[in-house]
Amino acid sequence: MLIHSATQLLTLQGGPQRGRDLGKLGLLENGAVLIRDEKIAAVGSSAELRAAYPGEPTLDASGCVVMPGFVDPHTHLIWGGDRANEFEMKMAGAKYLDILAAGGGIISTVRATRTASIETLIAQTRSRLLRMFACGTTTAEAKTGYGLQTATELRLLKALLRLDDEGPLDLAITFLGAHAIAPEYKDNPQGYTDLICETMLPIVCQWWQTHAPRLSLPFVDVFCENKAFDLAQSRQILSKARELGFPLKIHADEFDNLGGASLAVELGAASADHLVKTSDADIQALGKSDTVAVSLPCTPFGLAEHNYTPARKILDAGCILALATDCNPGTAWCETMQFAIVLACRYMGLSPAQAIAASTINSAQAICRADKIGSIEPGKQADLLVLSVPDYRHLGYRFGTNLVKQVVKRGRVYSVDVGYYRTA
Ligand code: NIG
Ligand code: FE
């Protein structure tokens, strides 16, 4: 298939974009993309490719932006129930970590998740995934973390593997048994930390090798924060995970600076995520490393807080910056990367071009897939979007409506435009 006449074709070619280099879109006017066997076969001007490949089925993208599918590298997609009641409490002044310490927050979702059947969890997560897909996310990371006991955590992994298998989105799966202290260990956080290291991680490692032998091991993540896992416990968990061969991620500095970002660098983690209260020393460490700095602007927005990731400082330090939604029932039930871009432009000082690069090639790097997705280059998977706008800056500028017209996933075209109709 030949997609041609794109008013703007954003290739994002050239690999992850570090520091002030962020924002190189590789823009071609009147561009075209040739797709063969689920992959991108050629990229060039419409005139060139139409002449070289006559008789190819075509998709006319005139008046539209064509760009890589969004990669959302941080979500907590699989959960039971909802927390609409806590949203109301927070808007009336209650604090997120206090609700958690009082047995609500993550723990209330844990209760609802433990009692939900795998079919219910799959059905609810599938509808979230389809909304993400319609908004242009073609690959998403998805964490467990609302089980906090071995059996339920394995159920969540199993559900995520099934959803990955079923498509259309590709998933990058993460084990987040260290999302909160399990309620059974409320007064013994070190006991739960030891359980993760001595029991859960070895079981997950073995389980994965039997249930998903063709896939490499999932990421292991830790919520390094006051009232969750302190720095020493985070180090204990991530070191054990590394020993077992898991790739690593960390939640760091969402509310307090505990040094999680430097720990991520020290252990060679793929990414350090949140990064709101990050110290200058931690930012410098990230800037000298290959650990991707993942910012989640939907989270402070969702909590009606005013501190966002200091993106300018992070770019000045030379970091690889990415964006994600953090989609979860507590702080940010947001299924669209378009809204993360809107917030990053307004509250983090990114330009639309920087926010787009942070949501495609750099977010692919945050899940270690920048060699396969995140840009439109020959050989890469044919995951791309046709936007119903003629200028990429409409991303960021406009909010509250979906700008995606078509999603192309592994070369298959899915129409998103709802259109309008009138009954007789
Ligand atoms: O990334 N910080 C920890 N996890 C989520 C929130 C999860 C929840 O509240 O259910 C986050 O913000
Ligand atoms: Fe998170």
Side-chain angles (χ1 to χ4, degrees):
M1 180 184 58
L2 184 67
I3 303 177
H4 66 86
S5 307
T7 303
Q8 296 181 341
L9 171 66
L10 315 181
T11 65
L12 279 299
Q13 70 190 27
Q17 301 180 7
R18 198 177 263 283
R20 296 199 197 96
D21 281 340
L22 185 67
K24 295 200 165 40
L25 297 177
L27 191 156
L28 284 175
E29 285 177 5
N30 198 5
V33 186
L34 179 74
I35 297 172
R36 287 269 164 85
D37 302 325
E38 306 188 0
K39 290 208 166 121
I40 291 160
V43 181
S45 75
S46 290
E48 211 172 77
L49 292 200
R50 290 183 88 173
Y53 302 96
E56 198 76 29
T58 56
L59 194 158
D60 183 348
S62 52
C64 296
V65 169
V66 172
M67 63 172 288
F70 294 120
V71 178
D72 187 345
H74 183 135
T75 82
H76 303 255
L77 255 198
I78 184 155
W79 72 79
D82 68 62
R83 308 229 294 276
N85 61 329
E86 289 181 10
F87 168 67
E88 189 177 49
M89 285 161 65
K90 281 181 294 209
M91 293 310 103
K95 286 274 152 260
Y96 177 78
L97 287 181
D98 295 337
I99 295 176
L100 176 62
I106 293 173
I107 299 306
S108 77
T109 300
V110 167
R111 282 190 295 270
T113 305
R114 285 179 176 182
T115 51
S117 69
I118 189 162
E119 289 74 26
T120 304
L121 291 167
I122 288 178
Q124 293 182 349
T125 305
R126 182 188 292 121
S127 59
R128 285 168 208 142
L129 279 166
L130 293 179
R131 287 190 291 268
M132 291 168 73
F133 189 67
C135 291
T137 299
T138 47
T139 299
E141 186 261 13
K143 303 175 197 296
T144 68
Y146 293 113
L148 309 187
Q149 60 190 179
T150 310
T152 312
E153 287 290 320
L154 291 180
R155 193 145 47 90
L156 298 179
L157 286 175
K158 189 170 175 186
L160 290 172
L161 281 171
R162 276 210 219 151
L163 288 162
D164 178 41
D165 213 40
E166 150 186 329
L169 276 92
D170 290 309
L171 298 183
I173 300 174
T174 297
F175 172 71
L176 181 58
H179 193 192
I181 306 300
E184 295 76 11
Y185 289 83
K186 193 161 121 2
D187 303 315
N188 181 14
Q190 188 54 43
Y192 185 57
T193 305
D194 294 340
L195 179 82
I196 293 173
C197 293
E198 284 150 32
T199 309
M200 290 171 110
L201 287 173
I203 288 178
V204 168
C205 187
Q206 259 211 334
W207 183 93
W208 189 272
Q209 282 157 3
T210 14
H211 288 77
R214 285 187 310 280
L215 299 179
S216 56
L217 284 174
F219 293 99
V220 167
D221 193 348
V222 179
F223 188 20
C224 178
E225 194 71 46
N226 286 328
K227 302 183 190 170
F229 297 86
D230 66 24
L231 189 66
Q233 291 162 342
S234 301
R235 181 192 298 279
Q236 185 187 336
I237 293 164
L238 293 178
S239 303
K240 176 70 189 193
R242 189 169 75 156
E243 220 178 275
L244 292 169
F246 290 100
L248 309 179
K249 287 181 169 284
I250 193 168
H251 280 65
D253 311 325
E254 179 175 359
F255 301 104
D256 290 298
N257 178 236
L258 303 191
S262 290
L263 177 65
V265 171
E266 180 192 320
L267 297 178
S271 72
D273 303 31
H274 280 290
L275 306 177
V276 175
K277 298 291 171 62
T278 312
S279 69
D280 290 348
D282 286 333
I283 291 176
Q284 291 309 318
L286 276 174
K288 292 191 194 73
S289 79
D290 291 330
T291 299
V292 177
V294 178
S295 173
L296 315 167
C298 300
T299 306
F301 180 83
L303 292 168
E305 283 173 4
H306 302 286
N307 293 312
Y308 286 79
T309 301
R312 294 262 179 81
K313 258 192 196 175
I314 282 181
L315 293 180
D316 287 346
C319 297
I320 304 167
L321 177 71
L323 290 172
T325 60
D326 196 20
C327 185
N328 76 76
T331 60
W333 190 335
C334 174
E335 288 142 338
T336 172
M337 288 293 287
Q338 295 174 61
F339 194 61
I341 290 172
V342 161
L343 296 176
C345 292
R346 297 213 178 23
Y347 300 121
M348 292 164 49
L350 296 191
S351 66
Q354 290 177 320
I356 290 169
S359 303
T360 52
I361 188 64
N362 280 13
S363 50
Q365 178 70 5
I367 53 167
C368 307
R369 294 195 189 177
D371 56 331
K372 293 191 186 67
I373 53 173
S375 65
I376 300 179
E377 293 176 271
K380 281 203 158 175
Q381 194 165 296
D383 291 1
L384 41 98
L385 309 177
V386 181
L387 305 182
S388 55
V389 297
D391 182 319
Y392 70 85
R393 291 170 298 188
H394 284 243
L395 283 172
Y397 164 47
R398 293 171 59 181
F399 51 93
T401 41
N402 185 8
L403 304 183
V404 173
K405 183 176 180 203
Q406 281 138 337
V407 181
V408 181
K409 178 63 187 173
R410 293 179 184 256
R412 280 192 60 178
V413 182
Y414 298 79
S415 279
V416 172
D417 260 0
V418 280
Y420 295 94
Y421 67 95
R422 216 194 325 210
T423 48

